[in-house]
Amino acid sequence: MSAPGAALLTRSPASGGGRGLAAQLLLALVSGGYAVGAALGWGSEELAKIMGDFGLSTAGLLAAVSCYHYARTIDRRERPAWLMFAFSSLMGALGNAVWGWYEVILDRPVPEPSLADFAFLCFAPPAIVGLLVLAKRPVTRAGWVCLGLDSWLIGGSLLTLSWSLALANAARTAQSGAPGSVPRAALSLAYPLLDIALVSMVLVLHFRRSANNRSAVNTAIAALALTVLSDALFTSPLLNTTYRSGEILDAGWFAGSLLLAYAPWGARRAEPAGRAAPPRVDRPHSRPITGSLPALTPYLAAAVCTLGILYNVVDGRKVDRVVVFTGCTVVLALVIRQGIMLLDNIALTQELAQKENHFRSLVQGSSDVIMIAAPTGTLRYVSPAAAGVYGRDAEELVGTELAALIHPDDLGRVVHEVRRFLAAPPAEEPTTRIECRFQSGSGEWLNVESTVNRHQGGLILNSRDVTERVRLQAQLQHSAEHDPLTDLPNRALFTRRVRQALTGRRAGDHSTAVLFIDLDGFKAVNDTIGHQAGDELLVEAARRLQDAVRAGDTAARLGGDEFAALILGDGSRDRGAREYQVHEIAERLRATLSQPYRIAGSEVRVAASIGVAFADPGITPSDLMRNADLAMYRAKAAGKDRVELYAPQMQAEVVRKTELAGRLRTALHEGEFVLLHQPVVSLASGAVTAVAAQARWRSAQGILFTPAEFLRVAEHSEGGPSGQDASRAAELGRWLLEEAVEQAAERHRAGHDVPVAVRMTARRLLDRSLPHGAVESLLTRHGLPSGALVLELSASDPRVPFDELERRLAALHRLGVRIALDGFGSGYAAISALRRLPVDLLKLDRGLVEGVVESARLHKITAGLLRIANDLGMQSVAEGVDLPEQVLALRAMGCTHGQGAAFSGPLDEYRLRRALVRGTFPVPGGSVLPALAAGASGGPMVIRRGSNNETPVPPA
């Protein structure tokens, strides 16, 4: 089994990781809660005794049950260890229960000694045995001896230090002969001695623990270490005399028991219960610090013993015999340990010599061919692997010239590399790698890779057969340069072949042509009969394309349903004849690709739009491909299923659009746009009821121009693929809205309470560049009442999500912003917009107004649309009212407001304020219809609101 495979087997499932985290959090919460309760005294002395005695007993019993249950479910040599841990925890639970019997039930002090002491003394021995079982077993007798010596080195050193600090006093108390002193002293000595033994085993197991079930073993070690630490604090002179049940020290024992109870469950996350653990393959890794700790253990033990003796000397006391005896045994164990290490070193030296001989035999039996060449190039040694790699015996190759084995086409390159390598300093370049073709015994040329080293003026070559790798690389190269679906050359290879066709011997041949091909209707195939059928169609189209081009030409798939063909030139000087010939090839391709396809048992039809570009003098590959792409898009724009030859005006049109976009960007950044306002006038009274904001471009000479071209570029960019153009269009829209609101607020503060109308497309209103709430914050920032803003919704786009547009407009409408439907009478979704959107005003399209007087048909259409507006309780605004006759006709049809040259053109701020002070414009034909006088007097535009889902009944 490989190391990655073993690692995969030992991984726990993701769900187990989630359960493990929940168990750890629960463990931390319970332990932390117990610690907080112990620190606060549990609220009463009685509850403190219960939690300090029976709480610890419950935790110990839980650990015993958990370890016992886990021991029954595993089938390995660790089972006795977990049974010992279960028995140890049971003894701890029994001791705490007896302690609680005396303190809580009988309400009297615990006698010394008692059954609780017996149970507590039985805690450490089973735990020690369990740790011994879990330790990695030595494989030799010397290993067992070293294990015992390491345990004594740790235990003896700790005993020396503990005896010097505290245990000596307990022993002297026992020797005093006072009544009851012997049992108490024995207990005071037994606890720390057992803890020392347990600590020794914990440390030994840490350095020698088994690799199996590492998670459970580490958790058990941590639990026992926490218990020993709490025992050490309990037996210390500082806490022994003042300890009471339920204090913070109990939290250590409690957490240790819970941690031991959790250890088996941590193991179950690593592997399923009842199943033997898979063999673990340890990956080699460097741990310099932790790896040196076992080697430093003997010296650390000797240092601890020295500290124990120095403590007695510095304190002025006589050195205790126990300290001297223990120190001597520790030193003796250290000497024996070092002797064993010396013997191990000797054995390792002998093993190293044996491995060196083994390495020699490995070189002889290596699958790589090892050759030594003299400075003259003659082979002096060839390993026996040459028979398997080259099919030639090693003895046959010895004495042969190395150059005789190398392919003639590779010999010059190999000689040059070897000379360069030998001339380089060895310290800078100790080795080099050479790949060439060697001749085998059967005469076949093998691809051989050799690592070359210097050797006494000659070379050592470690060679291996890489023929299969070279073939695989060729396959990968083919895959990197060809489309995986159709096996045609991809864009990268096609571009390289176009570059090759424009350079070298063909550099002066301008009859080379590139064809860009796009399948019209392919998306519908994917959407109707599925992508699998679409792939089959692409494969068939690629086959037709490959069969239709000549042998020397290149057919490629650029991506999606786009193909290309490189038609190499024939050196013809007649440009017209060559264009005719290539056009015929393109037409043949179009006809071939447009033939019906038999896909998934049904007949499928697609068309082909083809763009053709010729290699003009000095053209680059990217420009040639761009020209063919432009021609192809012109073919699609002209109706699809056709062939278009590239013409320079196509590029000129692109350049013109780019220049217009650049001029738009410059005008925006340099503040060349100004805002004008055209009054919206009541057709009944001539009163100015609103003003429509319009952008103008100021030229360098100060002349204002209508930026129709710029706005067309902006609107084209808005739906186009260029993010940069779209950002400029968004910037222009934001500028227009903010400038209009700011100037309207200034007029409002000056006493001119006239609403301002701002035109905005539905796509721009929902665009991310205009964040949600931007209109509301803009009105708040400039102090303009929401009712003073009219948003003219224009340029309906079928790609705009109508539900989202409805929600956005409804929010603005609830705020008080009025909504006008601009361009009413044109577009695709006027009826749907009237039905669903909260529209207040209908703005007639200019095309309806221009011919309303001359055309009776247009007169009827306009009158019908105005009746719809009046029936819905909406006001109407006619845009482009330039003639008095139009005013009379529109007013007679029921139109309430007009905007155009018949009243006023767009005005700057100064002239606008003068017009607002005047308040009215003369209206052609002074009479006012009674119906208009009742519902649309000369005041501001009054909105008769109703639900946008219901049609209000107009007044009689």
Side-chain angles (χ1 to χ4, degrees):
M1 182 183 297
S2 63
L8 285 174
L9 290 175
T10 55
R11 288 180 185 172
S12 60
S15 59
R19 291 194 297 268
L21 179 60
Q24 293 170 6
L25 290 176
L26 179 61
L27 176 65
L29 288 175
V30 173
S31 301
Y34 189 94
V36 171
L40 299 178
W42 298 106
S44 67
E45 184 178 354
E46 187 68 21
L47 181 59
K49 290 180 180 180
I50 294 174
M51 295 302 296
D53 296 332
F54 293 112
L56 294 181
S57 179
T58 303
L61 186 61
L62 179 63
V65 172
S66 176
C67 294
Y68 176 75
H69 179 69
Y70 178 64
R72 291 187 58 189
T73 58
I74 61 175
D75 185 17
R76 57 168 75 120
R77 74 177 186 88
E78 288 87 354
R79 173 181 288 183
W82 292 101
L83 289 175
M84 290 294 101
F85 292 155
F87 181 73
S88 178
S89 300
L90 183 61
M91 290 295 101
L94 178 61
N96 283 295
V98 173
W99 199 288
W101 174 264
Y102 282 104
E103 281 193 338
V104 179
I105 305 301
L106 302 181
D107 194 18
R108 61 187 179 89
V110 182
E112 294 184 6
S114 66
L115 182 60
D117 295 315
F118 172 77
F120 288 146
L121 290 176
C122 291
F123 173 84
I128 293 173
V129 175
L131 291 174
L132 283 173
V133 173
L134 291 178
K136 185 187 296 183
R137 294 180 180 179
V139 295
T140 62
R141 294 181 179 178
W144 283 104
V145 173
C146 289
L147 176 61
L149 291 175
D150 290 342
S151 301
W152 175 244
L153 285 172
I154 298 173
S157 60
L158 293 177
L159 177 60
T160 303
L161 188 60
S162 301
W163 190 274
S164 301
L165 295 176
L167 299 184
N169 294 329
R172 284 193 290 268
T173 302
Q175 293 175 359
S176 64
S181 60
V182 175
R184 285 194 295 271
L187 286 176
S188 61
L189 289 174
Y191 283 125
L193 290 177
L194 290 174
D195 287 340
I196 288 173
L198 189 56
V199 168
S200 302
M201 291 312 304
V202 167
L203 293 176
V204 169
L205 180 59
H206 175 72
F207 295 134
R208 306 176 67 93
R209 63 183 180 273
S210 174
N212 292 331
N213 204 7
R214 190 181 297 271
S215 174
V217 173
N218 288 340
T219 308
I221 290 175
L224 294 175
L226 185 58
T227 303
V228 170
L229 177 61
S230 300
D231 288 344
L233 293 174
F234 173 73
T235 57
S236 65
L238 295 177
L239 297 179
N240 183 265
T241 57
T242 61
Y243 170 76
R244 296 291 183 273
S245 295
E247 291 184 352
I248 189 63
L249 184 60
D250 291 345
W253 286 311
F254 184 81
S257 297
L258 289 186
L259 198 59
L260 188 58
Y262 167 76
W265 302 105
R268 287 191 172 186
R269 293 197 314 275
E271 61 186 38
R275 185 179 300 174
R280 181 184 178 93
V281 181
D282 291 330
R283 291 177 294 180
H285 56 283
S286 176
R287 299 177 61 188
I289 297 178
T290 57
S292 61
L293 286 177
L296 294 177
T297 301
Y299 305 102
L300 294 175
V304 171
C305 288
T306 305
L307 289 175
I309 297 173
L310 288 177
Y311 176 79
N312 286 273
V313 175
V314 173
D315 201 27
R317 294 182 294 178
K318 182 181 178 181
V319 178
D320 195 281
R321 285 177 295 177
V322 176
V323 174
V324 174
F325 175 77
T326 307
C328 291
T329 55
V330 169
V331 173
L332 180 60
L334 178 60
V335 172
I336 296 174
R337 184 73 170 82
Q338 296 302 105
I340 294 176
M341 291 180 61
L342 180 60
L343 294 176
D344 284 344
N345 288 337
I346 296 174
L348 288 175
T349 303
Q350 295 175 352
E351 184 181 356
L352 182 61
Q354 294 176 358
K355 287 186 176 181
E356 184 177 355
N357 295 329
H358 181 64
F359 176 74
R360 291 173 183 255
S361 34
L362 284 179
V363 171
Q364 296 293 331
S366 173
S367 60
D368 291 350
V369 181
I370 300 175
M371 300 182 294
I372 299 178
T376 58
T378 303
L379 294 177
R380 296 189 309 184
Y381 171 81
V382 179
S383 66
V389 177
Y390 300 148
R392 304 174 68 175
D393 292 336
E395 293 79 6
E396 177 188 349
L397 293 175
V398 173
T400 306
E401 291 289 335
L402 182 61
L405 302 174
I406 301 176
H407 195 283
D409 294 342
D410 299 339
L411 183 58
R413 176 173 52 82
V414 172
V415 171
H416 173 76
E417 175 61 22
V418 169
R419 289 177 178 175
R420 186 203 62 78
F421 171 66
L422 294 177
E428 296 180 3
E429 191 174 1
T431 62
T432 189
R433 189 178 64 87
I434 296 175
E435 188 170 332
C436 60
R437 285 170 286 180
F438 270 33
Q439 190 174 24
S440 66
S442 62
E444 181 185 2
W445 291 102
L446 304 176
N447 295 93
V448 176
E449 181 186 69
S450 302
T451 302
V452 183
N453 294 270
R454 300 174 180 85
H455 176 69
Q456 298 178 358
L459 300 173
I460 295 181
L461 296 94
N462 189 352
S463 305
R464 62 194 62 86
D465 183 8
V466 293
T467 305
E468 292 299 325
R469 190 194 71 186
V470 172
R471 291 173 182 170
L472 179 60
Q473 287 177 344
Q475 291 180 346
L476 294 176
Q477 182 71 19
H478 179 85
S479 300
E481 295 179 341
H482 289 75
D483 177 58
L485 179 63
T486 62
D487 202 39
L488 291 180
N490 58 15
R491 183 181 293 270
L493 180 57
F494 183 77
T495 304
R496 186 162 68 249
R497 291 189 179 177
V498 171
R499 185 178 296 106
Q500 293 171 355
L502 298 182
T503 56
R505 292 182 296 105
R506 295 183 177 272
D509 187 359
H510 306 312
S511 59
T512 296
V514 169
L515 281 63
F516 265 42
I517 308 162
D518 186 85
L519 299 181
D520 304 322
F522 175 74
K523 184 178 183 300
V525 175
N526 274 340
D527 294 341
T528 54
I529 60 178
H531 289 272
Q532 179 65 32
D535 290 345
E536 294 179 14
L537 189 149
L538 290 175
V539 172
E540 176 62 20
R543 186 191 61 77
R544 295 184 185 183
L545 179 61
Q546 184 69 45
D547 294 342
V549 298
R550 301 174 304 178
D553 298 335
T554 299
R557 183 191 178 203
L558 305 184
D561 59 341
E562 291 189 358
F563 295 86
L566 172 63
I567 310 299
L568 298 178
D570 56 2
S572 174
R573 298 290 181 179
D574 189 347
R575 177 65 178 266
R578 180 58 177 166
E579 287 184 358
Y580 178 78
Q581 180 185 4
V582 173
H583 193 276
E584 278 193 338
I585 295 174
E587 284 289 351
R588 186 172 68 251
L589 285 176
R590 184 196 61 77
T592 300
L593 294 175
S594 300
Q595 291 295 323
Y597 294 81
R598 195 70 182 175
I599 304 296
S602 59
E603 188 176 275
V604 177
R605 290 181 178 271
V606 295
S609 296
I610 302 178
V612 182
F614 286 92
D616 295 328
I619 196 170
T620 63
S622 59
D623 289 343
L624 179 59
M625 295 174 65
R626 179 205 60 201
N627 294 344
D629 197 21
L630 289 174
M632 185 266 289
Y633 277 105
R634 175 59 65 88
K636 293 180 74 68
K640 302 180 180 180
D641 193 18
R642 57 186 294 129
V643 176
E644 285 284 344
L645 297 180
Y646 171 78
Q649 56 265 28
M650 296 181 185
Q651 178 62 23
E653 183 178 350
V654 173
V655 172
R656 184 180 63 84
K657 288 183 178 180
T658 305
E659 290 178 352
L660 288 176
R663 293 175 65 187
L664 173 61
R665 181 179 63 251
T666 302
L668 285 171
H669 289 175
E670 297 184 2
E672 297 180 1
F673 277 97
V674 295
L675 197 64
L676 302 182
H677 294 84
Q678 187 172 24
V680 178
V681 178
S682 170
L683 298 183
S685 63
V688 178
T689 59
V691 292
Q694 300 177 2
R696 293 293 185 269
W697 175 61
R698 190 200 311 272
S699 69
Q701 293 77 22
I703 303 175
L704 296 180
F705 293 98
T706 302
E709 269 194 323
F710 294 96
L711 295 178
R712 280 198 297 271
V713 171
E715 291 173 1
H716 173 75
S717 302
E718 186 176 347
S722 172
Q724 188 177 9
D725 292 342
S727 65
R728 287 194 290 271
E731 188 177 354
L732 177 60
R734 287 193 299 269
W735 175 86
L736 177 62
L737 178 62
E738 184 161 358
E739 193 74 13
V741 170
E742 183 179 1
Q743 293 187 17
E746 293 178 358
R747 290 192 297 272
H748 183 76
R749 287 189 289 269
H752 304 295
D753 300 334
V754 179
V756 61
V758 180
R759 182 172 299 175
M760 180 175 292
T761 64
R763 176 172 291 273
R764 179 62 56 214
L765 184 63
L766 299 180
D767 191 68
R768 294 181 180 178
S769 61
L770 188 69
H772 188 76
V775 176
E776 294 88 336
S777 62
L778 187 63
L779 294 172
T780 303
R781 184 167 70 251
H782 293 289
L784 181 67
S786 57
L789 175 63
V790 180
L791 288 182
E792 297 180 353
L793 197 65
S794 64
S796 298
D797 191 336
R799 294 171 294 180
V800 173
F802 213 88
D803 293 337
E804 186 178 351
L805 177 63
E806 182 181 2
R807 289 193 297 269
R808 181 70 179 122
L809 290 179
L812 292 173
H813 196 262
R814 286 192 299 268
L815 185 67
V817 176
R818 288 182 284 177
I819 308 299
L821 189 61
D822 188 33
F824 189 68
S826 65
Y828 78 100
I831 301 301
S832 180
L834 284 178
R835 182 175 62 88
R836 298 180 58 182
L837 300 183
V839 178
D840 300 313
L841 305 169
L842 291 182
K843 196 166 185 179
L844 292 180
D845 185 68
R846 179 183 294 269
L848 297 176
V849 177
E850 288 177 349
V852 71
V853 178
E854 296 83 2
S855 173
R857 184 181 184 88
L858 193 59
H859 187 281
K860 292 180 179 180
I861 294 174
T862 306
L865 295 176
L866 289 173
R867 280 196 300 272
I868 292 175
N870 288 328
D871 290 343
L872 293 177
M874 300 179 184
Q875 291 186 345
S876 53
V877 180
E879 186 179 10
V881 182
D882 299 332
L883 302 175
E885 296 84 357
Q886 295 172 346
V887 176
L888 296 175
L890 290 169
R891 186 173 63 185
M893 286 185 286
C895 184
T896 58
H897 296 79
Q899 171 187 341
F903 307 106
S904 172
L907 304 175
D908 58 18
E909 188 65 21
Y910 174 74
R911 292 180 175 85
L912 176 63
R913 295 205 178 191
R914 289 183 58 187
L916 293 177
V917 170
R918 187 172 63 248
T920 59
F921 287 92
V923 179
S927 61
V928 179
L929 298 177
L932 290 177
S937 61
M941 287 189 284
V942 179
I943 309 303
R944 292 175 289 186
R945 300 183 183 245
S947 171
N948 61 306
N949 293 322
E950 301 177 359
T951 303
V953 179

